[in-house]
Amino acid sequence: MQKILIANRGEIALRIVRACRELGIKTLAVYSEADVESLHVQLADEAICIGPAPSSDSYLKADRILSAAELADVDAIHPGYGFLSENADFAEQCESCNIRFIGPKSSSIRMMGDKAVAKDTVKKAGVPVVEGSDGPVTTEAEAVKTAKSIGYPVIIKAVAGGGGRGMRIAHNDVSFAKEFHTARNEAEKAFGNGAVYVEKYIQNPRHIEFQILADSHGKTLHLGERDCSVQRRHQKLIEEAPSPFVTPDLRKRMGRAAIKAAVAAKYENAGTIEFIVDEKGNYFFLEMNTRIQVEHPVTEEVTGIDLIKEQIRIAAGEKLNLEQKRITFTRHAIECRINAEDPARNFTPCPGLIDLYYAPGGHGVRVDSHVYGGYAIPPHYDSMIGKLIAYASTRDLALDRMYRALSEYIIRGIKTTIPLHRAIVSDPIFREGKATTAFVAEFLSRNPGELK
Ligand code: ADP
Ligand code: ADP
Ligand code: MG
């Protein structure tokens, strides 16, 4: 491969530029008018503006991106995460233009992109799934019947959902009827597909996901788990590997199940199998993300494997030069998502000018971010502006290091999640490795003053 178009922005675009540089591959950045000053545009070898600020006029415009690809004569497109990364039609268009899509085949994206079909597929392959409706539920009567037979509480989810959106919890028949209609309307608006399914709402679970790598020669491996239980509104805030909850035996069983699920999807490239794990250690498939994940660096720092480079090599048709037995997890890594948000005001986005910026460094610290002093965060996109990763030989040392790095981090001019992360990283429940997906809400009610 000689040249790659990066169909994304922000930190992930920069991450891909960096991997390409090290591989000796040229990069083409495509960008919106709001991103002229972004670091990925400045560091790419070439850059083409594809439209105005709103993503619907730029980063989601498949035809403009493909025209840029033709014009600059690229060999492949890396879609990053979000935007077109899980759009099967876009992957198909790339395939038909003879441009490699750095990701799975469009058929795998389509299959796993419908969360009800995905559950059904992996269930048939013998992977445990969360108890729920067989496929989407269409009428209220049918939905209530399903909810009753599962037993409350239940969660109503959009089949096309993602990014923590389009989910509703119901505790009884009355609230269920209301939430069912709200969920359908929201799903229609957010994803252009109103189909929803129902599943058991598992209380105080952990979110534990497995990183998969699969080549086009039939080899499928897992790179261990990430614990992403620290979430606000079903969105991840902190991720770590290994999970303090997962024993070597559970890792083996979940890893095998994750590989089974990926094989059932005829999966190629990097992907993630998400599980929800109950208090007893029973695990259930939740969904598959058919793309690189935001939190991929924790896996990289624990295994020493560069996931973006592996994605590029796999897309080029190379064989995986890795063996399951040789993949070891001897370090601990943790990632804090740095969002331009005000945690004290219900995490409202806080775009604006960063007038002073100083990123932490030193032994065992990694910062993946496209921002710098003097950079203005545009209001049009996701509020995540960077990721701080700390790693060390043990979990305790990694947490101490994370606290130290968070204390050095200066982002002046806007509100960020840094103070919240400092408070969480020093919280006894989190430090003991006992956080479930209910942790953040409980923490905030315990520490209302921590967020100022
Ligand atoms: P990860 O699973 O990698 O942790 P997130 O759930 O945080 O990823 O999503 C990554 C990015 O992709 C976010 O910007 C999120 O808003 C976006 N995203 C994910 N799925 C969808 C979807 N179905 N529709 C729109 N945006 C999505
Ligand atoms: P998305 O596609 O938006 O990422 P997921 O299906 O991965 O949606 O769910 C996101 C989060 O929502 C999970 O990590 C978990 O915290 C919560 N969640 C989803 N399904 C359930 C469930 N059945 N029981 C409890 N929590 C759930
Ligand atoms: Mg998910």
Side-chain angles (χ1 to χ4, degrees):
M1 261 191 225
Q2 290 177 1
K3 203 197 277 185
I4 290 176
L5 181 154
I6 300 162
N8 216 297
R9 64 177 302 282
E11 69 84 20
I12 193 64
L14 182 59
R15 170 74 187 87
I16 298 162
V17 169
R18 286 172 169 160
C20 289
R21 276 270 159 91
E22 292 176 17
L23 288 170
I25 297 172
K26 294 256 180 282
T27 50
L28 166 67
V30 292
Y31 63 98
S32 77
E33 285 164 10
D35 276 339
V36 186
E37 305 294 333
S38 185
L39 216 48
H40 87 276
V41 179
Q42 296 175 44
L43 288 186
D45 296 297
E46 294 170 47
I48 296 181
C49 181
I50 49 165
S55 31
S56 54
D57 295 330
S58 50
Y59 297 105
L60 290 171
K61 279 263 184 240
D63 53 341
R64 289 197 197 154
I65 293 169
L66 287 166
S67 304
E70 301 269 346
L71 200 71
D73 195 22
V74 306
D75 304 294
I77 295 183
H78 197 306
Y81 53 70
F83 299 124
L84 295 171
S85 62
E86 290 175 286
N87 184 314
D89 293 340
F90 180 66
E92 207 165 67
Q93 280 173 296
C94 293
E95 284 162 19
S96 64
C97 293
N98 242 338
I99 296 166
R100 279 173 204 256
F101 176 81
I102 302 178
K105 294 253 178 324
S106 56
S107 50
S108 302
I109 301 178
R110 198 161 277 130
M111 183 191 280
M112 300 318 252
D114 182 312
K115 294 168 88 174
V117 173
K119 269 181 85 173
D120 191 48
T121 306
V122 308
K123 190 177 168 186
K124 284 194 180 121
V127 177
V129 300
V130 188
E131 186 192 352
S133 57
D134 277 330
V137 282
T138 44
T139 65
E140 187 187 313
E142 181 197 352
V144 173
K145 208 173 126 201
T146 310
K148 263 203 163 80
S149 73
I150 300 167
Y152 291 105
V154 299
I155 182 165
I156 308 159
K157 301 167 72 168
V159 301
R165 293 179 308 152
M167 280 179 280
R168 293 265 157 182
I169 299 155
H171 294 271
N172 53 53
D173 285 357
V174 178
S175 72
F176 183 86
K178 190 175 134 256
E179 300 294 359
F180 178 69
H181 292 289
T182 314
R184 297 224 316 172
N185 287 335
E186 279 182 1
E188 183 64 51
K189 246 189 242 151
F191 312 111
N193 176 355
V196 297
Y197 62 109
V198 179
E199 64 186 25
K200 178 100 193 149
Y201 182 68
I202 297 171
Q203 315 231 30
N204 302 318
R206 290 176 184 255
H207 173 116
I208 294 173
E209 57 184 36
F210 274 71
Q211 177 67 52
I212 294 288
L213 276 182
D215 66 18
S216 54
H217 305 272
K219 191 189 249 183
T220 305
L221 303 170
H222 79 78
L223 271 57
E225 80 282 4
R226 294 182 287 258
D227 191 322
C228 315
S229 302
V230 177
Q231 305 180 348
R232 61 94 217 269
R233 289 191 235 120
H234 307 304
Q235 285 175 334
K236 300 158 189 166
L237 269 179
I238 300 182
E239 304 96 348
E240 62 181 308
S243 165
F245 184 79
V246 173
T247 60
D249 172 62
L250 183 58
R251 178 169 305 116
K252 213 178 236 173
R253 288 186 288 125
M254 289 181 75
R256 276 198 204 124
I259 288 176
K260 243 194 233 174
V263 170
K266 300 194 172 56
Y267 201 78
E268 277 176 39
N269 216 291
T272 297
I273 307 290
E274 296 191 335
F275 292 101
I276 198 131
V277 184
D278 73 13
E279 288 163 312
K280 293 189 189 128
N282 299 306
Y283 57 89
F284 307 96
F285 171 89
L286 207 52
E287 65 157 344
M288 177 169 200
N289 290 325
T290 55
R291 55 169 164 85
I292 194 72
Q293 205 102 344
V294 172
E295 56 276 20
H296 74 277
V298 297
T299 300
E300 294 185 326
E301 297 312 332
V302 163
T303 60
I305 296 166
D306 185 316
L307 286 166
I308 305 289
K309 285 186 188 169
E310 293 299 337
Q311 284 196 291
I312 295 170
R313 290 194 194 107
I314 291 169
E318 287 181 36
K319 283 187 173 163
L320 274 172
N321 191 17
L322 299 164
E323 296 299 330
Q324 190 68 62
K325 291 196 294 285
R326 298 243 176 98
I327 299 168
T328 51
F329 316 104
T330 46
R331 290 205 293 203
H332 196 93
I334 173 164
E335 170 182 283
C336 290
R337 293 195 189 193
I338 311 301
N339 297 346
E341 287 171 1
D342 187 352
R345 288 179 51 224
N346 201 20
F347 297 96
T348 33
C350 217
L353 180 71
I354 297 176
D355 63 25
L356 182 73
Y357 182 81
Y358 174 80
H363 190 196
V365 173
R366 165 174 171 182
V367 177
D368 278 20
S369 176
H370 62 292
V371 310
Y372 50 86
Y375 175 78
I377 300 159
H380 314 277
Y381 313 106
D382 201 87
S383 56
M384 197 192 71
I385 56 163
K387 306 178 308 203
L388 173 59
I389 301 106
Y391 47 94
S393 56
T394 66
R395 183 170 189 268
D396 267 336
L397 291 172
L399 292 180
D400 291 343
R401 183 161 283 161
M402 177 57 88
Y403 189 82
R404 184 271 289 172
L406 285 163
S407 308
E408 280 175 31
Y409 213 157
I410 300 171
I411 305 180
R412 209 175 66 186
I414 55 158
K415 296 266 190 213
T416 73
T417 45
I418 293 173
L420 173 65
H421 283 306
R422 279 181 48 175
I424 291 180
V425 166
S426 43
D427 182 79
I429 294 177
F430 179 71
R431 285 219 63 128
E432 282 168 32
K434 295 205 170 120
T436 69
T437 61
F439 170 76
V440 173
E442 180 272 328
F443 171 88
L444 291 176
S445 64
R446 230 180 336 118
N447 300 280
E450 287 287 4
L451 306 172
K452 301 277 149 56

